[in-house]
């Protein structure tokens, strides 16, 4: 086996030597042919120039031998220099291989169909103020009902959640104070009647010249004073919760009732009760809170720096997380005229219709308020991509190239964002399909096909 391999190697070396000899022979023949051809062309050139420029050829013939040889090798030197220059042998600073810009993306024909171009322009921008808020009672339809007299709660007729009408009795209070007031009323009534009778008798006696004018005037003054005290006692009972019909019955029957009724002053739902049976209450105490929940208020506090953007009647909406982020459209019903000195905010209010009763006072909400239109440099939201926690847009370089540039933008408003820095008016950008451009940019960077 080894002898066979050695024999093959010897044969291989012999073949290589033969090929090398043939190559040398053919190369020498080719080179001799080239030299012969070159000498022939030189002779033709020499003869041509000898006929047309004999003086120049005469000088050439008298030149040294080395100059003639250098002219012979001159074309080969020129060819060698051209060849070396072609392969950048003489370039001390060879061109650096270009590296792809990570922010530039090249689009193909299919991607082009998904891209929409437009220009950055100045347009009326409506900023959308977003602030935290809450749902509250409509204070125009809210009543906190208290006791009219000092007394003890003897009966409770209403509970939280109950719907009541105006004039319904919510509770009853037993009050000695009311008893004293009724007694004073009866006394004032009797005193007024007696004073009237005395004044009438005095008029008769004065006509018969029995008493003097001074006595008549005194009795008339006493009757007038008694009537005033009677009216004051009547008003006191009204203040303590008795209606006029009840007061008239008291005047006719003379029967004193020590029960004072706590009356609903507006129709609505009882949302709060702060009394228990047997509790002693005073006129300063709020016993029940009644509210009409068919309309509510949404209250929000806007920083004073944005107060100049607020106007009554502006469009606004309320997003309530507890109602699965339901958005309720409305308008700004009121903007406070003062700034809260503690929070440095301005209170804004909008009214909410609540016919179905789904909105509850106390719910947290987010209020969105559309500001007055302001001329600003804007870009559509569809042109913005978020990359590395910064906003970017794609600026068009030519038909097929886009560059992703960082920009600083303000808060969104109606599908647009104001440009703070990074763009100029009139620049052409991709206003649609920015997401597809960013995806293609990443694909090209990763070397995908």
């Amino acid at each position: 086996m080894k002898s066979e391999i050695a024999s093959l190697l010897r044969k291989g070396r012999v073949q290589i030597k033969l090929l090398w000899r043939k190559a040398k022979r053919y190369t020498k023949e080719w080179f001799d042919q080239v030299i012969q051809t070159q000498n022939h062309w030189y002779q033709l050139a020499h003869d041509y120039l000898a006929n047309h420029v004999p003086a120049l050829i005469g000088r050439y013939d008298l030149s040294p031998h080395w100059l003639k040889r250098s002219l012979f090798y001159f074309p080969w030197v020129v060819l060698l220099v051209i060849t070396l220059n072609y392969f950048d042998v003489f370039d001390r600073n060879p061109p650096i291989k270009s590296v792809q810009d990570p922010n530039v993306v090249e689009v193909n024909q299919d991607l082009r169909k998904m891209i929409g171009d437009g220009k950055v322009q100045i347009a009326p921008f409506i900023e959308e103020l977003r602030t935290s808020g809450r749902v509250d009672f409509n204070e125009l339809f809210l009543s906190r009902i208290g006791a009219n007299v000092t007394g003890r709660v003897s009966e409770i007729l209403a509970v939280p959640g109950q719907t009541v009408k105006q004039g319904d009795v919510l509770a009853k209070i037993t009050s000695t104070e009311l008893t004293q007031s009724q007694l004073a009323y009866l006394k004032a009534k009797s005193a007024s009647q007696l004073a009237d009778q005395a004044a009438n008798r005095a008029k008769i006696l004065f006509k018969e010249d029995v008493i003097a004018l001074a006595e008549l005037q005194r009795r008339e003054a006493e009757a007038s004073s008694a009537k005033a005290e009677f009216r004051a006692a009547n008003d006191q009972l009204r203040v303590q919760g008795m209606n006029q019909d009840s007061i008239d019955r008291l005047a006719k029957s003379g029967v004193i009732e020590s029960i004072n009724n706590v009356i609903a002053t507006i129709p609505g739902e009882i949302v709060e009760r702060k009394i228990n049976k047997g509790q002693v209450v005073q006129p300063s105490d709020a016993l029940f809170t009644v509210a009409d929940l068919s309309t509510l208020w949404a209250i929000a506090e806007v920083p004073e720096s944005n107060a100049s953007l607020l106007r009554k009647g502006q469009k606004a909406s309320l997003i309530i997380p507890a109602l699965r982020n339901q958005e309720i459209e409305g308008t700004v019903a009121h903007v406070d005229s003062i700034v809260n000195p503690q929070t440095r905010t301005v209170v804004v209010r909008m009214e909410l219709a609540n016919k179905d009763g789904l909105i509850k006072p106390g719910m947290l909400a987010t209020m969105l308020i559309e500001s007055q239109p302001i001329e600003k440099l804007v870009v559509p939201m569809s042109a913005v991509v978020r990359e590395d926690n910064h906003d970017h847009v794609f600026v068009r370089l030519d038909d097929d190239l886009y560059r992703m540039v960082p920009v600083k933008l303000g808060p969104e408003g109606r599908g647009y964002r104001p440009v703070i820095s990074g763009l100029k008016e009139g620049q052409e950008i991709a206003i649609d399909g920015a997401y597809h451009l960013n995806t293609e940019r990443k694909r090209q960077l990763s070397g995908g096909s």
Side-chain angles (χ1 to χ4, degrees):
M1 184 68 180
K2 291 182 179 180
S3 60
E4 292 179 357
I5 294 175
S7 176
L8 290 173
L9 289 175
R10 284 194 298 270
K11 291 180 179 180
R13 285 195 292 269
V14 171
Q15 292 293 330
I16 291 172
K17 288 180 180 179
L18 292 174
L19 291 174
W20 175 249
R21 289 173 183 174
K22 288 182 178 181
K24 287 174 65 176
R25 186 174 71 252
Y26 291 146
T27 301
K28 186 177 182 303
E29 292 177 355
W30 175 82
F31 186 74
D32 291 342
Q33 184 66 36
V34 171
I35 296 299
Q36 184 180 356
T37 303
Q38 183 180 358
N39 289 332
H40 175 69
W41 283 104
Y42 264 66
Q43 186 61 44
L44 291 176
H46 183 276
D47 295 342
Y48 176 81
L49 294 174
N51 294 328
H52 292 81
V53 194
L56 179 63
I57 294 301
R59 291 184 180 182
Y60 172 77
D61 291 340
L62 296 176
S63 62
H65 179 70
W66 62 268
L67 181 59
K68 296 178 180 180
R69 296 302 298 175
S70 62
L71 290 175
F72 178 82
Y73 291 114
F74 178 74
W76 297 100
V77 174
V78 173
L79 179 62
L80 177 61
V81 171
I82 293 175
T83 303
L84 294 177
N85 185 66
Y86 178 79
F87 290 102
D88 298 326
V89 174
F90 302 110
D91 193 355
R92 295 183 180 180
N93 297 309
I96 301 173
K97 188 177 180 180
S98 62
V99 179
Q100 181 181 358
D101 188 336
N103 293 322
V104 173
V105 57
E106 183 177 359
V107 300
N108 53 33
Q109 189 174 3
D110 293 334
L111 183 59
R112 165 56 61 192
K113 298 177 182 178
M114 297 185 285
I115 308 301
D117 297 326
K119 291 185 177 181
V120 183
Q121 58 185 352
I122 295 177
F125 176 71
I126 299 177
E127 184 175 351
E128 196 171 57
L129 303 177
R130 179 182 292 263
T131 181
S132 299
R134 69 184 187 280
V135 179
D136 207 343
F137 296 105
N138 185 337
E139 294 185 4
L140 298 176
F141 302 99
L142 178 71
S143 177
R144 291 178 174 84
I145 302 169
N148 295 308
V149 294
T150 300
R152 187 178 300 276
V153 178
S154 59
E155 191 174 359
I156 298 176
L157 303 176
V159 294
Q162 179 179 337
T163 301
V164 297
K165 300 186 295 295
Q166 184 175 358
D168 286 354
V169 179
L170 307 181
K172 294 185 177 182
I173 298 173
T174 302
S175 173
T176 57
E177 181 181 332
L178 180 61
T179 301
Q180 295 298 326
S181 297
Q182 291 179 2
L183 180 60
Y185 171 79
L186 294 176
K187 288 181 179 180
K189 175 177 177 294
S190 298
S192 177
Q193 289 175 345
L194 290 174
D196 280 343
Q197 292 174 1
N200 291 332
R201 286 196 300 270
K203 289 178 181 179
I204 296 173
L205 293 175
F206 176 74
K207 288 180 179 180
E208 294 178 356
D209 201 20
V210 176
I211 60 174
L213 177 60
E215 181 66 18
L216 173 62
Q217 292 175 342
R218 183 182 66 80
R219 292 185 182 182
E220 287 179 343
E222 289 177 352
S224 178
S225 177
K227 287 181 180 180
E229 290 181 0
F230 177 61
R231 288 194 299 269
N234 186 90
D235 292 341
Q236 179 65 22
L237 291 178
R238 292 289 300 272
V239 170
Q240 292 178 337
M242 291 185 67
N243 55 38
Q244 192 59 48
D245 292 340
S246 299
I247 295 173
D248 293 341
R249 286 197 300 270
L250 172 64
K252 290 179 181 179
S253 65
V255 178
I256 295 176
E257 296 181 359
S258 59
I259 301 298
N260 176 255
N261 294 328
V262 179
I263 305 298
T265 55
I266 63 170
E269 181 179 324
I270 297 176
V271 296
E272 188 178 27
R273 189 192 75 185
K274 292 185 176 181
I275 58 170
N276 294 303
K277 193 172 182 179
Q279 178 180 342
V280 177
V281 296
Q282 297 178 355
S284 60
D285 297 335
L287 310 183
F288 294 89
T289 301
V290 178
D292 183 354
L293 301 180
S294 61
T295 60
L296 298 172
W297 282 354
I299 307 294
E301 296 183 358
V302 177
E304 63 175 323
S305 58
N306 293 327
S308 61
L309 302 176
L310 302 175
R311 296 288 186 279
K312 181 179 178 181
Q314 288 177 220
K315 289 185 178 180
S317 59
L318 196 73
I319 299 176
I320 304 178
L323 300 181
R324 298 182 179 179
N325 291 323
Q326 178 182 352
E327 185 170 352
I328 303 170
E329 301 291 336
T331 58
V332 175
H334 172 75
V335 179
D336 266 7
S337 301
I338 60 173
V339 175
N340 188 317
Q342 280 76 37
T343 61
R344 311 307 305 175
T345 56
V346 176
V347 174
V348 179
R349 185 178 75 230
M350 63 180 291
E351 295 183 357
L352 306 175
N354 188 33
K355 294 181 180 180
D356 298 331
L358 297 178
I359 308 174
K360 311 294 183 184
M363 283 183 171
L364 298 179
T366 300
M367 187 180 293
L368 307 177
I369 306 171
E370 295 183 358
S371 68
Q372 298 295 316
I374 302 175
E375 294 289 330
K376 286 187 176 182
L377 192 66
V378 295
V379 293
M381 283 293 298
S382 56
V384 182
V385 293
R386 191 75 174 171
E387 189 76 14
D388 298 329
N389 293 324
H390 291 87
D391 293 321
H392 298 78
V393 299
F394 283 90
V395 176
R396 185 176 182 181
L397 303 178
D398 58 28
D399 291 342
D400 299 324
L401 289 180
Y402 291 83
R403 178 186 294 276
M404 185 177 74
V405 298
V407 291
K408 188 175 181 181
L409 306 175
E412 177 195 357
R414 285 193 173 184
Y416 288 87
R417 295 183 66 180
V419 178
I420 299 174
S421 63
L423 291 174
K424 297 180 180 179
E425 184 182 4
Q427 279 187 284
E428 193 169 6
I429 63 172
I431 60 175
D432 289 315
Y435 171 79
H436 300 298
L437 279 174
N438 197 33
T439 302
E440 177 65 14
R441 181 186 68 85
K442 293 178 180 178
R443 187 193 68 80
Q444 292 179 8
L445 283 177
S446 63
S449 57

